[in-house]
Amino acid sequence: MYRLISSLENFSVKETEIGITNVLGAFVGVNIGTDVSNLPSDTDIVAILKAHQFTHVRLYNADAQLLKALSGSGIEVMVGVTNEEVLGIGESAATAAAWVNKNVAAYMPSTNITAIGVGSEVLTVVPNAASVLVSAMNYLHKALVAANLNFQVKVSTPHSMDIIPKAFPPSTATFDSSWNSTLYQILQFLKNTNSYYMLNAYPYYGYTEGDGIFPIDYAIFRPLPSVKQIVDPNTLFHYSSMFDAMVDATYYAMEAANFSGIPVVVTEAGWPWLGGAKEPDANLENAETFNNNLIRRVLNNSGPPSHPTLPINTYIYELFNEDNRPGPISEKNWGVLFTNGTSVYPLTLGTSGQITGNSSSVFCVAKSDADSDKLQDGLNWACGQGRANCSAIQSGRPCYNPNTLENHASYAYNDYYQKMQSAGGTCDFDGTATTTNVDPSYGNCIFAGSSNSSTHGGFMPPSAFSPEVAPGSWSSYLQVSNFQLLMPAALLALVFV
């Protein structure tokens, strides 16, 4: 593989999947590594994902607390079977069924799990497990069938570029013949289950280990002058980026094995922003250029030259720097965000806007582990006596989905807090609320206090609220267009700030 040290990534999606970041179908997701000394809480991680409008995430394992925190978020999630778990699952259908029940079925449908990645680069990293890799995939798929989840959740396994010994020119690429039997079975499984080939594609390593064969511009998606353009001599296809060439090499390798119609999903792609003295190409400028160009490339919804109509859904490696990873300095510095939610460098997620993460505002949100009855009471009070503007969480409004008690309470708590803090209002709500610097806004749902909105709440109410609204009955008053508000003018002004 192009990576010196492997990481645990995996992915698959439903055939009809449409990413929020691009209505045409292509999307950019992000990996969440765990070798971090100061990893945010699970609730904060989800808030960070929502604040930066990531709609797809990949987990290295099946972390119970994070899967629980992702419940109701609408974010598409892939869970991973670790390399250490592959042997046990591959040797026992019962173990596979137990794994699916514990790590997938138990969280669905509230947590939107769409894929299981079986191991990470198993063929090149833990070859002793390769003999049971296909069995593990089959057992897991059968467990999904038994749970009636096989149409929602796909099974695959991520590969490095190392299983293609000679990736250029792409048209002549073939898989390492020593893996022919195993790869044939994997590809047959993907074809039979309508799944996806998972590829870890790293132009950074392709460039730095290429002995100067390719120019840096080719690795980071910069335009090449005509005299330096990379052309496949057999097809005369022009490759504007190493990324496209890697994806196309994978398609040609599958075709050489007599398989077609299996889409490629890039499960890892990124660029380190800091390296050691002998890693000059791992720098901030290259990382910013690569990832921003990668996002633009993916979201144009086109494929590589050999498959121009197949989008290349891709997951950026990675959300946070994994400072506990072994290896060179560059290995620890692939993150696009610091653990406090601020960005390492400006990154634009297509139509989703720019990741800045540097909000100076304080927001009030519901605690993920709060008692549901107390949350309901807090929501009722905020939208009633608390006079929060709760119009946006009504059905059909921008903040209605995800339709969860925690999400609705967060919106109401924050709206109350932003309006009443200066008058002594607190973020407590009987211990069910907490403050955060991470902007919880997502999509068209703008929380009060967000820099994304010129108004305080980002949504104007069709009517106001009565100070007499009883707990549990606030929503009915939202439907009354001519309801008269009886409160002092000063408080009335606060509601419409």
Side-chain angles (χ1 to χ4, degrees), residues 108-458:
M108 294 182 70
S110 58
T111 299
N112 190 14
I113 299 172
T114 57
I116 301 173
V118 186
S120 176
E121 303 181 352
V122 171
L123 300 186
T124 49
V125 176
V126 282
N128 63 304
S131 60
V132 298
L133 177 58
V134 177
S135 294
M137 296 170 71
N138 272 309
Y139 286 151
L140 289 165
H141 177 70
K142 289 178 180 177
L144 290 170
V145 171
N148 198 29
L149 295 174
N150 54 302
F151 292 107
Q152 289 83 18
V153 184
K154 297 299 181 182
V155 177
S156 188
T157 182
H159 302 285
S160 75
M161 284 296 297
D162 258 3
I163 63 172
I164 301 176
K166 189 173 181 293
F168 197 88
S171 61
T172 62
T174 58
F175 292 119
D176 186 332
S177 59
S178 63
W179 295 114
N180 275 357
S181 176
T182 300
L183 281 168
Y184 177 86
Q185 295 176 66
I186 290 173
L187 294 173
Q188 190 64 62
F189 171 87
L190 299 178
K191 187 76 172 178
N192 291 346
T193 61
N194 195 32
S195 192
Y196 303 76
Y197 185 101
M198 300 180 181
L199 170 67
N200 291 348
Y202 281 97
Y204 172 74
Y205 291 112
Y207 171 71
T208 57
E209 298 172 8
D211 298 322
I213 297 175
F214 299 108
I216 182 67
D217 290 343
Y218 178 60
I220 60 177
F221 298 91
R222 280 184 181 147
L224 294 168
S226 57
V227 295
K228 290 186 177 182
Q229 287 184 358
I230 310 299
V231 181
D232 186 318
N234 302 306
T235 61
L236 299 183
F237 284 146
H238 288 237
Y239 288 90
S240 58
S241 72
M242 188 181 292
F243 175 82
D244 278 73
M246 287 178 169
V247 174
D248 238 0
T250 303
Y251 276 120
Y252 279 111
M254 284 194 283
E255 289 175 6
N258 294 317
F259 284 91
S260 60
I262 301 173
V264 172
V265 171
V266 175
T267 44
E268 286 186 25
W271 198 281
W273 61 270
L274 182 65
K278 296 182 179 180
E279 301 175 298
D281 300 297
N283 61 60
L284 205 60
E285 180 184 358
N286 285 346
E288 179 180 349
T289 301
F290 177 88
N291 277 324
N292 276 297
N293 285 337
L294 171 67
I295 291 167
R296 280 191 286 270
R297 165 66 190 90
V298 172
L299 294 186
N300 72 14
N301 205 50
S302 67
S306 75
H307 291 73
T309 62
L310 284 180
I312 312 172
N313 295 324
T314 299
Y315 285 74
I316 294 174
Y317 184 84
E318 60 186 329
L319 189 62
F320 304 120
N321 294 322
E322 293 187 89
D323 58 318
N324 290 333
R325 286 188 66 83
I329 292 176
S330 63
E331 195 64 26
K332 308 171 190 294
N333 292 285
W334 292 77
V336 297
L337 298 178
F338 294 111
T339 53
N340 65 359
T342 61
S343 58
V344 176
Y345 47 80
L347 196 67
T348 303
L349 272 178
T351 58
S352 296
Q354 190 174 77
I355 291 181
T356 60
N358 298 317
S359 172
S360 59
S361 299
V362 176
F363 300 89
C364 179
V365 296
K367 293 180 179 178
S368 62
D369 58 352
D371 177 79
S372 59
D373 289 337
K374 288 185 176 181
L375 266 185
Q376 187 66 63
D377 289 342
L379 173 61
N380 292 341
W381 187 91
C383 294
Q385 290 96 318
R387 305 184 182 96
N389 170 14
C390 296
S391 310
I393 54 177
Q394 287 287 281
S395 179
R397 301 289 184 166
C399 302
Y400 178 73
N401 287 318
N403 181 20
T404 65
L405 183 58
E406 180 186 339
N407 184 66
H408 289 182
S410 290
Y411 186 90
Y413 286 3
N414 183 68
D415 196 82
Y416 165 84
Y417 180 70
Q418 299 296 338
K419 294 167 182 173
M420 301 304 295
Q421 181 185 13
S422 61
T426 62
C427 179
D428 182 72
F429 293 91
D430 198 17
T432 65
T434 184
T435 57
T436 178
N437 290 111
V438 177
D439 188 345
S441 303
Y442 57 95
N444 293 323
C445 178
I446 308 302
F447 276 56
S450 170
S451 60
N452 293 326
S453 174
S454 59
T455 65
H456 209 47

Side-chain angles (χ1 to χ4, degrees), residues 56-57 59 67 70 75-79 111-115:
H56 297 69
V57 300
L59 310 183
L67 286 172
L70 285 161
I75 295 171
E76 294 210 13
V77 184
M78 69 204 65
V79 293
T111 299
N112 190 14
I113 299 172
T114 57

